[in-house]
Amino acid sequence: MAKDSQVLDLNSSYSYLLWCRDFADTSILATVDDQPAGFITGYLRPDEPGTLMVWQVAVDESFRGRRLAGSMLDRLARQTGARRVETTITGDNQASIRLFTGFAARRSADLEREPLFTRDQYPDTHDTEFLFRIGPLN
């Protein structure tokens, strides 16, 4: 799903297996009719254990348009007991911007946006990643 999204940074299968082992409590997999339909990977920040950092969100193309990403994000926030949610999004990723803006609105939470890693900090041609901080969650 990450590869098929054509927007997520790809990681090795090994890293995803480690992620599933070490961060299962802060990640979620959605299935529809026993088929993988979407996932969110995240972790609780070591320096802010009440903050869920969302790393990747993907929904299989055949399941898009069903508000699956929003449902997964709502459930993951409840499941982890997070008081805040953070993620980074490039300025051209309108789907993710809508997802997290909608999440903040549903939770009546403040949303702050600021550059976290700017283009000049990367050794390659990666766009600026904006930090979205949402909370406190209601």
Side-chain angles (χ1 to χ4, degrees):
M1 271 185 263
K3 181 179 179 184
D4 291 341
S5 77
Q6 299 181 357
V7 295
L8 294 177
D9 293 333
L10 298 182
N11 301 285
S12 69
S13 56
Y14 174 74
S15 67
Y16 283 109
L17 288 172
L18 280 176
W19 197 278
C20 290
R21 183 192 74 171
D22 294 342
F23 299 106
D25 291 342
T26 55
S27 299
I28 194 166
L29 172 70
T31 58
V32 175
D33 298 327
D34 295 324
Q35 296 295 316
F39 71 84
I40 297 178
T41 53
Y43 60 89
L44 295 176
R45 289 194 44 202
D47 60 335
E48 291 182 37
T51 299
L52 173 66
M53 176 62 187
V54 174
W55 177 42
Q56 289 188 321
V57 177
V59 174
D60 185 271
E61 187 174 10
S62 60
F63 297 103
R64 292 183 188 153
R66 301 182 187 193
R67 302 191 187 279
L68 189 58
S71 295
M72 287 189 299
L73 187 55
D74 289 339
R75 182 171 177 177
L76 187 58
R78 282 191 310 271
Q79 174 180 305
T80 61
R83 295 290 303 136
R84 295 190 174 278
V85 170
E86 291 184 350
T87 194
T88 63
I89 307 172
T90 56
D92 63 344
N93 189 338
Q94 292 303 308
S96 288
I97 293 169
R98 282 191 305 273
L99 171 63
F100 286 92
T101 301
F103 173 78
R106 285 192 306 279
R107 302 301 291 263
S108 299
D110 294 333
L111 187 153
E112 300 170 1
R113 175 187 163 175
E114 63 183 295
L116 181 63
F117 301 120
T118 59
R119 181 177 285 203
D120 61 320
Q121 292 175 293
Y122 291 95
D124 53 18
T125 58
H126 198 290
D127 285 337
T128 295
E129 290 276 353
F130 292 90
L131 176 66
F132 282 62
R133 288 182 52 87
I134 301 167
L137 300 180
N138 299 314

